[in-house]
Amino acid sequence: MRISEAAKAEGGSVGSMRDGKLDQKFLLTGDDDSPNNYLLNVGRTGSGGWGTPRHRHNFDQVRYVLKDSYPVSPHKVMKEGTVAYFPESVHYGPQDRPEGLEMMVIQFGGASGEGFLSVARREAANEALKKKGEFKNGVFTWYDDQGNKHNKDGSAACVEEATGKKLEFAEPRYDDVVMMYPESSPWLQSGTPGVSTKTLGVFTEREMRLGFVKIEAGATFNTGTRTAIEILFLSEGQITVDGKAYGPQTGIELLPTDAPTEITATEDALLLAIRLPRF
């Protein structure tokens, strides 16, 4: 088990492959050589906002809006408290994030097994590309030896630079981003006094699962065992684990090899639970 708090986590800004300012705190990262490598971060849009053109990725994402509203595209907006699944190979955007937006994002290898490129490898590719061309409005532009101009989505360009191969996309399993409204899903008693759960959805043959755990003040949640990596993100309240206190924007990684752990709420606590694809 690993635990990380946003207030103490390493931070950084999204590279020049996109326009605007987006500061992130990197809470937890997975294994770069694993098909379900992942990155859990909390981001805050800086002065002037931050935007991207319409694009897609060869990995999955889950987004959870903590403050303000997030425009996924001009006609699809996530309000505060909304959760959405961004499947691999599915286009979204263009997006124009407003200044002050705060959002939890977890990016991870999708069901196709293409994996997820770590921040370190992505940023190294970003710097290498800046020596060959220019990023502008989320697009990377360069000229070949014959003087011909080429444009490519900035994110795709970074992936290709880092991997040394053409970016391929699996056939989409969904036709759009899947937005979920947690307030519409009922809480179910877990069998443990003071602990309730709700399921938002289960996706793909790899059974990626999204839901919430609510722990009332004074109650204790036992994480039990699992067959895939599970990430818990504390968005509200206070908890203790092994006698240490944690507040909002804390991430907890639970591996299949981890023993059951007890999480006690000292204030009413709300945790988003993400079970990564099972490989």
Side-chain angles (χ1 to χ4, degrees):
M1 179 183 68
R2 290 190 297 161
I3 302 179
S4 177
E5 303 169 88
K8 301 177 182 179
E10 177 184 353
S13 297
V14 174
S16 57
M17 64 180 176
R18 298 303 188 201
D19 282 351
K21 184 172 177 55
L22 175 59
D23 294 319
Q24 296 179 323
K25 286 297 188 80
F26 307 124
L27 274 69
L28 293 166
T29 59
D31 178 359
D32 213 3
D33 295 321
S34 169
N36 56 7
N37 183 35
Y38 76 91
L39 168 65
L40 175 69
N41 75 73
V42 174
R44 187 179 190 280
T45 309
S47 177
W50 188 83
T52 72
R54 185 167 177 80
H55 66 289
R56 58 177 175 165
H57 297 287
N58 67 335
F59 55 81
D60 279 0
Q61 303 180 86
V62 171
R63 298 173 185 263
Y64 178 24
V65 179
L66 306 175
K67 181 181 178 181
D68 213 330
S69 296
Y70 165 55
V72 177
S73 67
H75 306 292
K76 187 185 290 287
V77 178
M78 292 177 63
K79 63 181 182 179
E80 191 170 306
T82 302
V83 177
Y85 170 46
F86 291 66
E88 61 181 348
S89 305
V90 172
H91 284 89
Y92 67 100
Q95 54 177 324
D96 185 13
R97 300 191 190 189
E99 180 178 339
L101 169 67
E102 293 184 11
M103 183 163 55
M104 183 222 82
V105 179
I106 182 167
Q107 300 171 312
F108 51 93
S112 69
E114 288 296 319
F116 169 72
L117 189 68
S118 67
V119 171
R121 292 181 66 195
R122 183 191 72 198
E123 291 305 303
N126 188 298
E127 291 304 311
L129 286 171
K130 286 194 289 187
K131 299 175 182 178
K132 303 176 183 180
E134 178 186 22
F135 288 97
K136 187 174 182 180
N137 298 325
V139 176
F140 177 65
T141 300
W142 79 101
Y143 292 85
D144 61 26
D145 294 338
Q146 286 72 46
N148 298 313
K149 182 179 180 180
H150 300 271
N151 289 327
K152 187 180 291 290
D153 173 73
S155 177
C158 282
V159 172
E160 294 187 354
E161 176 70 19
T163 61
K165 61 182 182 180
K166 182 176 175 57
L167 178 60
E168 301 288 350
F169 292 94
E171 285 298 317
R173 288 165 169 77
Y174 304 89
D175 70 346
D176 202 353
V177 172
V178 182
M179 290 179 55
M180 288 155 272
Y181 304 99
E183 68 273 14
S184 301
S185 299
W187 287 105
L188 301 178
Q189 295 302 313
S190 68
T192 299
V195 178
S196 304
T197 62
K198 66 169 63 180
T199 298
L200 300 181
V202 180
F203 302 93
T204 84
E205 69 277 14
R206 301 287 184 183
E207 297 183 322
M208 190 278 286
R209 179 182 293 268
L210 295 173
F212 278 97
V213 178
K214 180 171 66 175
I215 313 173
E216 296 177 9
T220 297
F221 167 62
N222 188 297
T223 61
T225 59
R226 64 212 62 80
T227 58
I229 298 171
E230 185 167 16
I231 306 299
L232 302 176
F233 176 78
L234 178 67
S235 59
E236 299 176 16
Q238 300 282 334
I239 59 173
T240 60
V241 182
D242 294 332
K244 185 175 180 180
Y246 300 94
Q249 299 191 4
T250 292
I252 302 173
E253 177 196 68
L254 299 168
L255 300 177
T257 53
D258 287 333
T261 299
E262 291 192 337
I263 300 174
T264 299
T266 52
E267 297 177 2
D268 289 351
L270 181 67
L271 299 107
L272 177 64
I274 308 109
R275 189 175 72 187
L276 299 187
R278 184 169 55 200
F279 286 95

